Amino acid sequence: MPDPLKIVVVGGVAAGPKAASKVKRLMPDAEVILIEKGALFSFAGCGLPYYVSEVVHEQKDLMATPVGAVRDTAFFQKVKGVRVLNRTEAIEIDREGKQVRIRALESGEESWLPYDKLMLATGAGPVVPPIPGVERKGVYTLHSIEDAERVKASLAEGRVRNAVIIGGGLIGIETAEALAAKGCQVTLVEMLPHILAMMLDFEMARLVELHMQSKGVRIMADTKALAIVGEGDAVSSVQTDKGQLPAEAVILAVGVRPRTELAMKAGLAIGEKTHAIVVDECMRTSDPDIYAAGDCVECKDRITGQPCFVPLGSTANKQGRVAAINMCGGHDTFPGVFGSTVCKVFDFCVGRTGLTEKAARANGYDAITVLSPGADRAHYMPTAKTLMIKLIASRATRKLLGLQVVGPGAGDKRVDVAAMALAAGMTVDQLAKADLCYAPPFSGAMDNIITAADIARNKLDGQMASLTPMEVRAKLDAKEDFVFLDVRSPGEWEEVRLPGSMLIPLGALRERSGELPRDKEIVAFCKASLRGYEAARILLGQGFTDVKVMDGGVAMWPFAKEK
Amino acid sequence: MPDPLKIVVVGGVAAGPKAASKVKRLMPDAEVILIEKGALFSFAGCGLPYYVSEVVHEQKDLMATPVGAVRDTAFFQKVKGVRVLNRTEAIEIDREGKQVRIRALESGEESWLPYDKLMLATGAGPVVPPIPGVERKGVYTLHSIEDAERVKASLAEGRVRNAVIIGGGLIGIETAEALAAKGCQVTLVEMLPHILAMMLDFEMARLVELHMQSKGVRIMADTKALAIVGEGDAVSSVQTDKGQLPAEAVILAVGVRPRTELAMKAGLAIGEKTHAIVVDECMRTSDPDIYAAGDCVECKDRITGQPCFVPLGSTANKQGRVAAINMCGGHDTFPGVFGSTVCKVFDFCVGRTGLTEKAARANGYDAITVLSPGADRAHYMPTAKTLMIKLIASRATRKLLGLQVVGPGAGDKRVDVAAMALAAGMTVDQLAKADLCYAPPFSGAMDNIITAADIARNKLDGQMASLTPMEVRAKLDAKEDFVFLDVRSPGEWEEVRLPGSMLIPLGALRERSGELPRDKEIVAFCKASLRGYEAARILLGQGFTDVKVMDGGVAMWPFAKEK
């Protein structure tokens, strides 16, 4: 009998345990050793904000299987047949000799572990920005269970009234909600012009900011944190270029960086743009006996074909499985990602897949965009909630390029549908014919994404000339002479209005169009913009020549409204 | 100037108004006349059960736009530019002369309407089964707003204690819930062996039946309604082949039939199998100047290529748009359907797309199936709910063939993802790599559909031999000599057990496998069946030869359990 296959996996959070377990299922004879630096492992890192907010009550909930078994070393040995060495660091790879040097952190003892296949699942670590004062007490990252315990302990002490979050990405946003839920006065500081800058375009992010503000979170975009100021060793405020913010707790959430020291020391290829470990579709590094997966590797963007770094637990699990199959001599591939992301922000579901408009243009696409708000199920159902969609498509190929969702409605469903459309390379014409399941408690007869696709088709077919709210805002700011035509009902007008607009309700437009000048640009809108579109079609039918529709209507206007 | 295009649309519920409005947007000059037999039109037929249960409060909610404008004749004239003749019947088409004869129902006056293009959107009508007594007072269908008002009036009178629903399809199920919500003791009578027979396979339907029973609805499958019995002219009971059921109200919900009298009289092609109007991809009937869309036409099943009849408001809207574009001289096509369907059943979301296992086998596919229960989001989130999936794939091509969902979890999302995978012709290998968006409040790191696809891959790759619960039930019934091995924890075992099973918890299996006979078939299972699968891999690794996994575990066992 040949010697059993020796597999060493470095890293015990997501991709590592997944791969180790899968290897044992594929090859029960294999010797699988999992090395983990921390004491705790195989925990749900994405659940940490919910543990801080006590939506998730117990630490063990984050480390248990769905039936409540805690994934500790005994569990892995007994159930998975995987030997876990935790509190153990992998410090060097001898690629020639196919062995990895490990150090037990408690005893300091070192030894060499031989491997047939090695897998790196070293993950990513939080970036600590080079700001004076980051070492102060009360300054946290939120990346490990230990981090979460520290934040929870400081909250439990009752000292934290003001919290400042530095960084408006996913972790920053989720932590803002968690701390607000715990009664803190939260200020979020973001260097870029808007939050969630990698995920959303300006107008969509702005709608999220407005929602967070309505929940009491102060958003300071375009703001640099300059120093963390304190009395003694504890933080007392954050100095920014827009003023000083009191803070008894500061969360650093400026992003994560792949952990690649071990790979770099071993001379494995590292991505120039991503700084993550380069792998092929089989999750093999530049050394054919070393695999890597999860937050430490770079991915392929399936639209642009470019390398990207999108660390996510979902991707890590899929990649871990692919690596396991290939390490066992099988064949599987990971095709890359569309950057599908979702995030709960108070009452909003915020999501994205594919390219943002900004990314699409940066990649040379002639993109058309649609803003489409609507009820996420039959509008007469009491459970219906608003869902605001931005759809991006290629003018040249009519293919979907990306989708963003914001609002209380079930946006995650539409992001997933769009992700599948992207995987299939669908045009908006094909997407508009998607056979999505329909019943009033779950969707409208025309699903939101189908409506958005149909609007895109109207635009591509020249049926609908449109302006974005940003373009209209610029016209207003430049005091351009145009008619900003609201075609909603008088009751809706009474409630809220857009600046500089005039009202002719759609039902009266066929008769009252004489009130409109024929020599000026007319920009029609309503609440969503179906009526705006109908108004434009009516006016064009009556011989008006320069009529446009403003995308997204009052519902998605990302600027101040008049009340 | 040429004469404006004359378009006549017959039928005012879904496809008709959609097409009429779209034509006017495309060709503001066109003369569009919509003929509707009823007084009310453009209403949300799918909302009727929710109007009966008073989830939807007002009749007008079903006829209003999202901003509350009631879609009456004045609305269509003013806003859409469409002339609606309601209470008017189209009684004859003169194809040669391109005119349609209409009769005003109130005056009896008849006239001929000329058309350039005619569109039939005559819908479908409820089938009234040929049972003695269907004409009695208290016997209803639920297809129109008037039907709903009659049912509501009888409920309001307080006379209805027992309601019998004849037919366990979508409308029957939704009406059962509505009447139960109004305090009726509901019995549902279904002729076939299980409810939702067109939508679900046996074991999935059985899980729905169990849920309905837990909510107090009595399900009598395999039962024929023979007569509706009464005292005087009012119903008092329903006679079935399994006994007499008291009933002060009876709902006939045995299905709908396309309304094709007008089309047949005009000699248009009618589908042999579907009895619905035959249309091409452009929604054109056998007469190039007559289009048809919605519940009166047959569709193409996109998997089998066969004609099918799947009347749904979502499909009607898409088809109406396609017909409108083509009537205006443009080009658009409707590719067919996958039979995507969803239904709320008390706390359950019940859905399907693609072929059921039964339909797949009937169409000659060598199908493999997966039953996979799990939490619909991160299992540690308090909002997580159970979602039970059945996945059907082709052994030959590895392509997805269908998906069914049952349970309180967000099944509609997974049905939509599967519908997109079907549209793309994806294999389960491709589906398993879908870049679905992930965050704990919305999904698990491995989404349910990805887990199901991975299980399918394990089966296709020979990693997992499995039995369905029905196959195991048959073994038990035949008193076969095999080991039915439960590998859950003692605590889970204490709560509920499957008949004839023995317990060795997974964590103890590596040591205790000696207790198991090596010469007998072993069928392992757990709650879901991941642990059952791991148990099988462990035993196979130890040299056991005949080890299988029972799909779906305790969670999806559709028969009686021991408590």
Side-chain angles (χ1 to χ4, degrees), chain A residues 48 64 142 195 268 273 351 405 462 511 531:
Chain A
L48 293 174
L142 190 54
I195 63 168
L268 299 177
K273 183 184 134 197
V405 298
E511 289 122 51
R531 285 174 291 170

Side-chain angles (χ1 to χ4, degrees), chain A residues 3 40 73 76 96-97 101 109 135 246 282 395 468:
Chain A
D3 277 354
L40 306 174
T73 52
F76 268 90
E96 193 80 16
R101 188 150 63 96
E109 210 171 288
E135 72 294 340
C282 297
R395 191 185 304 276
T468 67

Side-chain angles (χ1 to χ4, degrees), chain A residues 25 64 78 80 318 321 332-333 338 340 379 412-413 416 433-435 437 457-458 534 537, chain B residues 25 64 78 80 318 321 332-333 338 340 379 412-413 416 433-435 437 457-458 510 534 537:
Chain A
R25 287 195 290 267
K78 278 187 160 174
K80 307 284 183 180
K318 282 175 224 152
R321 193 178 193 277
D332 199 11
T333 58
F338 294 104
S340 304
H379 62 81
D412 58 322
K413 175 160 83 164
D416 281 356
K433 314 292 173 54
D435 190 23
C437 62
R457 299 173 76 203
N458 288 340
E534 292 187 309
R537 297 306 300 172
Chain B
R25 286 195 290 267
K78 279 185 160 175
K80 307 284 182 180
K318 281 174 224 151
R321 192 177 193 277
D332 199 11
T333 58
F338 294 104
S340 305
H379 61 82
D412 57 323
K413 175 160 83 165
D416 281 355
K433 313 294 172 51
D435 191 24
C437 63
R457 299 174 76 204
N458 288 339
R510 284 175 202 276
E534 293 188 309
R537 297 307 300 171

Side-chain angles (χ1 to χ4, degrees), chain B residues 319-506:
Chain B
Q319 291 177 334
R321 192 177 193 277
V322 169
I325 289 172
N326 293 317
M327 287 193 290
C328 292
H331 179 72
D332 199 11
T333 58
F334 182 73
V337 298
F338 294 104
S340 305
T341 317
V342 68
C343 177
K344 178 179 171 299
V345 185
F346 293 96
D347 307 335
F348 273 20
C349 170
V350 176
R352 187 276 307 259
T353 189
L355 302 178
T356 58
E357 179 184 357
K358 205 176 146 194
R361 297 201 193 285
N363 278 279
Y365 287 97
D366 181 6
I368 66 137
T369 64
V370 170
L371 298 179
S372 176
D376 71 337
R377 56 207 79 192
H379 61 82
Y380 50 80
M381 295 298 283
T383 48
K385 292 175 188 161
T386 297
L387 172 61
M388 297 178 276
I389 285 184
K390 176 169 183 172
L391 181 149
I392 298 119
S394 158
R395 192 186 304 277
T397 63
R398 301 175 74 98
K399 280 190 185 180
L400 181 70
L401 292 175
L403 192 90
Q404 294 162 51
V405 297
V406 165
D412 57 323
K413 175 160 83 165
R414 281 69 184 200
V415 168
D416 281 355
V417 167
M420 297 302 286
L422 290 172
M426 280 190 192
T427 62
V428 289
D429 309 286
Q430 291 171 312
L431 177 56
K433 313 294 172 51
D435 191 24
L436 305 178
C437 63
Y438 159 59
F442 302 102
S443 71
M446 299 285 283
D447 189 87
N448 309 65
I449 196 168
I450 288 178
T451 297
D454 274 337
I455 297 173
R457 299 174 76 204
N458 288 339
K459 292 190 179 193
L460 289 166
D461 293 340
Q463 290 290 332
M464 182 179 179
S466 66
L467 291 175
T468 67
M470 289 73 74
E471 287 168 330
V472 173
R473 180 72 260 175
K475 275 177 186 292
L476 291 168
D477 290 345
K479 302 203 190 312
E480 276 188 36
D481 189 15
F482 72 107
V483 179
F484 195 24
L485 178 64
D486 190 335
V487 298
R488 296 177 304 153
S489 67
E492 291 172 272
W493 167 270
E494 207 49 55
E495 244 175 71
V496 61
R497 290 163 304 284
L498 299 193
S501 61
M502 67 170 283
L503 180 76
I504 300 183
L506 181 60

Side-chain angles (χ1 to χ4, degrees), chain B residues 120 122-124 256-261 263-264 268-279 285-286 292-300 307-311 319:
Chain B
L120 302 179
T122 42
V256 297
R257 185 180 287 148
R259 290 203 182 100
T260 54
E261 299 86 344
M264 284 177 79
L268 299 177
I270 302 289
E272 247 180 70
K273 183 183 135 196
T274 62
H275 308 291
I277 302 172
V278 174
V279 288
T285 67
S286 53
D295 290 3
C296 62
V297 304
E298 67 174 34
C299 264
K300 189 177 77 179
C308 61
F309 178 61
V310 189
Q319 291 177 334

Side-chain angles (χ1 to χ4, degrees), chain A residues 310-424:
Chain A
V310 189
L312 280 174
S314 47
T315 301
N317 272 284
K318 282 175 224 152
Q319 291 178 333
R321 193 178 193 277
V322 169
I325 288 171
N326 292 318
M327 288 194 289
C328 292
H331 178 73
D332 199 11
T333 58
F334 182 74
V337 298
F338 294 104
S340 304
T341 316
V342 68
C343 176
K344 177 180 170 300
V345 185
F346 294 96
D347 307 335
F348 272 20
C349 169
V350 177
R352 186 275 308 257
T353 188
L355 302 178
T356 59
E357 179 183 358
K358 203 175 146 194
R361 296 201 193 285
N363 279 280
Y365 287 96
D366 181 6
I368 67 135
T369 64
V370 170
L371 297 179
S372 176
D376 71 337
R377 57 207 78 194
H379 62 81
Y380 51 79
M381 295 297 284
T383 48
K385 292 175 187 162
T386 297
L387 172 60
M388 297 178 275
I389 284 184
K390 176 170 183 172
L391 180 149
I392 299 118
S394 159
R395 191 185 304 276
T397 64
R398 300 174 74 98
K399 280 190 183 180
L400 180 70
L401 293 175
L403 192 91
Q404 294 163 51
V405 298
V406 165
D412 58 322
K413 175 160 83 164
R414 281 69 184 199
V415 168
D416 281 356
V417 167
M420 298 302 287
L422 290 172

